[in-house]
Amino acid sequence: MLQINKITKTYVTGDFKQTALDNVSLNFRESEFVAILGQSGSGKTTFLNVIGGLDQYDNGDLIINGKSTKHFKQSDWDAYRNNSVGFIFQSYNLIPHLSIIDNVEMGMTLSGVSISEKRKKALDVLEKVGLTKHLHKKPNQLSGGQMQRVAIARALANDPDIILADEPTGALDTETSEQIMQLIKEIAQDKLVVMVTHNPELATAYADRIVRFSDGKVVDDTNPLANQKIKDNYKLKKTSMSFLTALKLSGKNIITKKWRTAITAFASSIGIIGVALVLSLSNGFDKQINSFETGALSNYPITISQNAMSMDAFGPPKENANELTEFTKDKVVYPYDASKNSVTHKNVLTQEYMDYLDKIDSSWLDGVSYSRSVKMNLLKLSDGKATPLNTAAAGFSIYPSKADQSSNSYLEQYYDLLAGNFPTNKTDLVLVVDKYNQLEKNSLEALGFDGNSENIDFNNFIGHEFKMLMNDDYYVKSNNYYIVNGTTTDLSNLYNSEKATTLKISGIIRIKEDISISSLPAGIVYSDKLAEDFIENAKNSKIVLDQKQSDFSVMNGEVFVEESSTASNRMGAGGKTGQTKDSALAALGASSIPTGVALYPVNFEAKENITNYLDQWNSGLDEEKQIKYTDMASMITSLSGNIMDAITLVLIAFAAISLVVSMLMIGIIIYVSVLERTKEIGVLRALGARKKDITRVFNAETFIIGTCSGILGIAITYLLTIPVNAVLLNLTDLTNVAQLNPLHAFVLVVVSVILTMIGGLIPAKMAAKKDPVVALRSE
Ligand code: ADP
Ligand code: MG
């Protein structure tokens, strides 16, 4: 059944050649008990390894059931060992971290036998060797004889045709040896058993046939078999280990080394912890910034004013941009055309555009406010005298409100009421103070309060009144010019006139603490409705109608300057800047078009909708006809976001270094594990495991360690966020800054697994390359 035909095997170590098998020819019967005797070094083990397919012969042929093995590939030999051969070793070679039953099942596990069948066969053979009581013990809990019985059961389990035993009783006492020999003899009744022994008595007592080896040659054979031609009827079932089996195998190995694994996993999780902490912090800061944005910055409006600053202002002049360098060493001055490099964009607001703005979805807005150049005719009363109120000096501005003017949602949402009430009608004014309840001295004086006093009680402001007069009541025409209708030192007649509208300060407000940035300047804020009413009336006032007809000022006869010259005169020497006709008319209230609009979005999403809406107007328009807006909040945010991103990147880079270090460490740990498990590798190979399977076993080990360290790292990070947040709360008043995003956590575990597997790849490959014969010889 097994024919060995002129086989030679030579080992080469350096220059030294050792012929272990020298032209050996032997034929074996289907069932017989062959004992091989010979001196140490005569080639007995080599012979067993060659016929067992563990080692490959150099020349000759090995024929199994008529099939020549000359052209066997590695995978054929693997399958051959698994299907056809069972090995029994002197030192048992059981896998120490697997139970008895798992050891016996291993060969069948490798060839993919179903769990139930495997269990049944394993129990059968264990019963045959008399070990049914010890199924779940580990090998080191058994005696030598028992261990050898397990090894025999393992060799028999897959029901091979050939059993190869290398000095199976070499480590046993006489009595146990005899029991084992008896067992092997029984096996030999329906199998070919080839046993190497150094004990001639046992050989003669139990074996059917004795073959003597000397110097790699067969020198004696008590029952030779003639060579005969056998028909090839050999079939191989290829083996393959599933990743699950590899996981189970490595899992059991890892469990026996719990502490080392735990420490390794912990050490390599430090990199993960680093990255996870950085991510959770940056994630938290991002969230903080977002909530700051939606809190503090969302009350910051999108503004459209006559002169919109364009960001190009910060770059070099466009036309020369490519040729000029910053901080050049050139000793020349470069002229450039400022108009081509428009620093500011002139927005020409038209009624059409205002109508377009009115159609904006009001649900996106907390409110809209306007800047107007109209000078309403306001009077204040101080020291019993009525005088004009300089609204510019007093810091008058229009507060944001909804288009329907129905609610004070904006003021109430972002401002605390310190005294009085929020405005309820258009004649109600509101005093805005800064965070420290301050108001500028000049503003106070302009309002008629004592700017030099140490402090002024809120009560002095609440209910304080001013008067507003329409143009026709305020101005009278005298000698072709319009003058204020009264003596310049006292306008009590106007102040007390029935026609005067009474305005009063209804409340004092201050920005809310958690918002902290006020979009309204300190001073008086009033309703746009008041301005609109004034303008509505002013449009048809005599002074406006007259002014429209006239090319000089109807108030002082001054000649107007051209529109364009005001721009260049703005910083002109001498201070005498002229007025244009348009600006004179606007000041008198002739125009209902504001000079600026501020849109207050409800949130960041709404802001996006608003800017899209504004962009829509511009699409297709010439550059100079476009209306540009300024979004200060987004400039701030994108800046802060970029800085955060940069910091995060740097920190992650540092943490990544520790990840790489832990990867190297895993490599070393796995390498040590490979060294430790060399014997196991040999056993697995002897049982028919392919190189691939060995790689798989170690990949499974790194997979387990990587998963453990990833999960451990994430768990530790979650725990660490508690003290980190406590410290940050103490330092910065920010709550819950460190927050690990679950997605990041998951990705990090995956990264940990991948990195450790990469780290273990080389040692795993090394393990697979190990020669099974050498591996089995190792101690
Ligand atoms: P036995 O089992 O009869 O004691 P072996 O088959 O183990 O003998 O060895 C036969 C000869 O081959 C010995 O001289 C041994 O030194 C040599 N040999 C065995 N294995 C190797 C090897 N892997 N490398 C080099 N020489 C070896
Ligand atoms: Mg030997």
Side-chain angles (χ1 to χ4, degrees):
M1 179 215 113
L2 187 63
Q3 296 167 301
I4 290 97
N5 213 340
K6 296 180 184 160
I7 275 184
T8 54
K9 171 80 189 173
T10 310
Y11 290 109
V12 184
T13 26
D15 291 340
F16 183 69
K17 276 191 182 172
Q18 172 70 48
T19 305
L21 294 177
D22 188 2
N23 214 8
V24 173
S25 294
L26 276 171
N27 296 311
F28 294 111
R29 300 174 180 84
E30 207 133 314
S31 61
E32 62 177 342
F33 188 174
V34 184
I36 295 181
L37 290 172
Q39 282 175 323
S40 183
S42 56
K44 306 183 294 294
T45 298
T46 306
F47 178 70
L48 274 199
N49 287 342
V50 165
I51 61 175
L54 264 182
D55 213 346
Q56 268 70 61
Y57 51 87
D58 297 337
N59 285 304
D61 197 6
L62 177 84
I63 299 156
I64 168 88
N65 281 336
K67 179 158 186 86
S68 161
T69 59
K70 255 184 187 155
H71 303 294
F72 262 30
K73 294 189 298 267
Q74 260 309 319
S75 60
D76 295 320
W77 283 119
D78 295 335
Y80 169 76
R81 284 197 303 279
N82 184 269
N83 304 173
S84 303
V85 185
F87 283 97
I88 302 167
F89 306 93
Q90 178 178 353
S91 51
Y92 328 125
N93 285 347
L94 299 175
I95 299 173
H97 50 81
L98 293 184
S99 67
I100 301 311
I101 184 109
D102 283 341
N103 263 290
V104 173
E105 286 178 359
M106 183 49 71
M108 292 182 283
T109 306
L110 285 172
S111 54
V113 176
S114 75
I115 292 178
S116 56
E117 192 185 343
K118 203 162 72 174
R119 187 50 49 112
K120 188 180 159 286
K121 283 189 174 175
L123 287 174
D124 270 2
V125 286
L126 279 167
E127 194 180 348
K128 204 179 259 175
V129 299
L131 274 178
T132 31
K133 279 185 203 146
H134 308 280
L135 300 183
H136 300 291
K137 282 189 178 167
K138 291 280 162 66
N140 62 5
Q141 292 167 314
L142 299 180
S143 71
Q146 285 173 321
M147 282 198 272
Q148 196 59 295
R149 283 165 192 270
V150 176
I152 291 168
R154 177 178 64 185
L156 290 174
N158 222 3
D159 196 23
D161 298 329
I162 308 159
I163 298 286
L164 302 174
D166 196 353
E167 305 197 29
T169 59
L172 301 174
D173 57 66
T174 323
E175 201 190 323
T176 321
S177 292
E178 282 175 355
Q179 290 169 3
I180 295 292
M181 289 310 289
Q182 191 56 46
L183 194 56
I184 293 176
K185 191 175 168 62
E186 281 164 31
I187 293 165
Q189 306 212 313
D190 56 355
K191 283 189 198 308
L192 166 64
V193 176
V194 183
M195 178 187 76
V196 168
T197 180
H198 57 270
N199 187 330
E201 286 94 65
L202 283 182
T204 25
Y206 292 95
D208 310 325
R209 172 178 172 190
I210 295 173
V211 176
R212 275 181 197 279
F213 268 70
S214 179
D215 286 336
K217 289 191 187 70
V218 178
V219 290
D220 185 30
D221 187 346
T222 59
N223 191 10
L225 176 68
N227 205 353
Q228 56 200 160
K229 191 101 185 100
I230 303 175
K231 221 178 86 205
D232 176 0
N233 62 350
Y234 187 66
K235 277 189 198 71
L236 272 180
K237 187 180 169 209
K238 299 251 169 150
T239 64
S240 103
M241 186 192 272
S242 70
F243 191 68
L244 203 69
T245 306
L247 265 184
K248 199 171 146 194
L249 200 60
S250 279
K252 286 187 173 163
N253 171 51
I254 277 172
I255 286 167
T256 62
K257 303 182 293 195
K258 297 186 212 46
W259 284 110
R260 188 213 283 182
T261 311
I263 292 167
T264 312
F266 173 70
S268 61
S269 72
I270 289 170
I272 294 290
I273 295 172
V275 176
L277 263 186
V278 172
L279 281 178
S280 66
L281 279 174
S282 90
N283 179 31
F285 277 124
D286 268 356
K287 279 193 182 163
Q288 294 285 350
I289 287 174
N290 275 340
S291 75
F292 173 72
E293 282 165 359
T294 45
L297 294 179
S298 77
N299 76 333
Y300 242 75
I302 297 165
T303 55
I304 302 155
S305 52
Q306 284 183 327
N307 294 307
M309 172 125 75
S310 85
M311 291 310 281
D312 308 341
F314 301 113
K318 265 187 205 159
E319 46 170 348
N320 292 332
N322 298 329
E323 295 136 47
L324 296 182
T325 48
E326 285 180 302
F327 307 108
T328 176
K329 291 197 168 69
D330 301 354
K331 300 271 187 268
V332 292
V333 172
Y334 296 101
Y336 78 98
D337 186 351
S339 65
K340 281 190 185 160
N341 171 39
S342 60
V343 169
T344 54
H345 173 88
K346 194 136 185 80
N347 281 330
V348 181
L349 301 181
T350 59
Q351 190 54 48
E352 232 183 326
Y353 189 70
M354 298 316 295
D355 292 344
Y356 181 72
L357 284 189
D358 280 345
K359 278 184 271 177
I360 204 164
D361 189 334
S362 70
S363 67
W364 298 340
L365 292 165
D366 271 341
V368 182
S369 76
Y370 302 93
S371 332
R372 298 185 183 275
S373 44
V374 60
K375 287 201 182 84
M376 296 186 296
N377 311 313
L378 299 192
L379 298 175
K380 67 179 176 197
L381 194 62
S382 61
D383 302 333
K385 277 185 192 166
T387 50
L389 167 63
N390 182 344
T391 51
F396 266 58
S397 58
I398 296 169
Y399 62 74
S401 57
K402 291 276 230 181
D404 56 6
Q405 311 273 326
S406 58
S407 69
N408 293 313
S409 67
Y410 182 81
L411 292 184
E412 284 172 21
Q413 199 175 334
Y414 295 105
Y415 288 82
D416 283 326
L417 186 66
L418 302 179
N421 298 302
F422 280 109
T424 50
N425 59 54
K426 59 191 172 189
T427 58
D428 285 345
L429 309 178
V430 180
L431 181 68
V432 183
V433 292
D434 75 5
K435 281 188 223 175
Y436 309 96
N437 282 15
Q438 292 184 119
L439 202 60
E440 215 203 319
K441 218 163 115 179
N442 291 338
S443 302
L444 282 166
E445 300 264 328
L447 287 171
F449 291 91
D450 180 6
N452 289 315
S453 61
E454 201 169 307
N455 59 59
I456 307 165
D457 197 280
F458 282 165
N459 289 328
N460 294 327
F461 294 97
I462 304 299
H464 191 87
E465 291 183 353
F466 304 100
K467 299 281 175 161
M468 180 175 85
L469 286 131
M470 295 304 173
N471 282 348
D472 284 341
D473 304 319
Y474 195 65
Y475 294 110
V476 287
K477 197 168 184 180
S478 133
N479 299 333
N480 292 329
Y481 295 132
Y482 282 86
I483 57 163
V484 177
N485 186 10
T487 53
T488 40
T489 47
D490 190 8
L491 298 171
S492 298
N493 62 317
L494 287 177
Y495 191 92
N496 295 320
S497 150
E498 274 179 20
K499 295 194 172 136
T501 310
T502 304
L503 312 180
K504 85 177 187 295
I505 297 177
S506 72
I508 303 175
I509 59 173
R510 183 177 64 199
I511 192 72
K512 284 185 174 166
E513 223 176 317
D514 56 339
I515 311 268
S516 79
I517 300 176
S518 175
S519 59
L520 297 177
I524 294 284
V525 290
Y526 62 99
S527 163
D528 189 53
K529 195 81 181 134
L530 185 70
E532 278 181 356
D533 276 7
F534 183 86
I535 290 166
E536 199 51 44
N537 178 287
K539 272 181 186 166
N540 298 314
S541 66
K542 280 185 221 123
I543 189 171
V544 168
L545 296 176
D546 271 3
Q547 184 63 77
K548 280 188 173 164
Q549 309 282 313
S550 174
D551 284 338
F552 52 85
S553 167
V554 296
M555 288 168 83
N556 52 26
E558 233 174 62
V559 181
F560 293 126
V561 296
E562 291 291 312
E563 174 74 31
S564 60
S565 61
T566 48
S568 50
N569 270 350
R570 218 177 287 141
M571 286 186 272
K576 179 97 180 156
T577 60
Q579 206 184 11
T580 65
K581 184 172 173 176
D582 280 348
S583 64
L585 278 168
L588 288 171
S591 168
S592 55
I593 298 173
T595 57
V597 184
L599 302 162
Y600 293 78
V602 276
N603 55 35
F604 266 68
E605 248 172 65
K607 173 186 268 183
E608 216 142 277
N609 291 332
I610 293 167
T611 53
N612 286 341
Y613 185 78
L614 297 180
D615 289 339
Q616 247 168 46
W617 172 271
N618 288 337
S619 71
L621 282 183
D622 289 346
E623 170 85 14
E624 70 256 34
K625 284 195 179 151
Q626 290 184 357
I627 306 286
K628 303 220 165 146
Y629 55 86
T630 312
D631 181 3
M632 199 55 94
S634 83
M635 289 185 194
I636 298 171
T637 358
S638 67
L639 198 66
S640 64
N642 287 344
I643 292 172
M644 270 312 295
D645 286 352
I647 294 174
T648 307
L649 221 63
V650 170
L651 290 178
I652 286 185
F654 275 112
I657 292 172
S658 56
L659 262 184
V660 171
V661 170
S662 54
M663 186 179 101
L664 287 177
M665 207 174 58
I666 291 287
I668 295 165
I669 299 281
I670 296 297
Y671 177 66
V672 171
S673 183
V674 168
L675 292 184
E676 276 180 356
R677 295 174 77 180
T678 303
K679 193 68 167 262
E680 183 183 336
I681 295 169
V683 174
L684 287 173
R685 294 301 307 275
L687 287 172
R690 300 164 302 167
K691 288 184 177 178
K692 241 188 240 175
D693 301 326
I694 302 298
T695 316
R696 209 166 260 187
V697 168
F698 287 94
N699 282 343
E701 185 161 333
T702 42
F703 176 81
I704 293 170
I705 296 179
T707 311
C708 286
S709 74
I711 290 171
L712 193 68
I714 294 305
I716 293 175
T717 306
Y718 270 119
L719 289 178
L720 277 179
T721 54
I722 297 168
V724 164
N725 280 333
V727 169
L728 283 176
L729 180 63
N730 231 322
L731 290 176
T732 63
D733 274 356
L734 297 176
T735 50
N736 270 328
V737 174
Q739 289 177 31
L740 187 56
N741 179 339
L743 180 71
H744 288 172
F746 175 75
V747 169
L748 281 175
V749 172
V750 173
V751 166
S752 164
V753 170
I754 292 173
L755 280 186
T756 47
M757 286 188 77
I758 291 173
L761 218 55
I762 295 168
K765 285 269 174 239
M766 283 167 59
K769 281 213 181 103
K770 274 190 190 297
D771 184 340
V773 178
V774 177
L776 280 170
R777 272 177 202 263
S778 78
E779 267 322 313

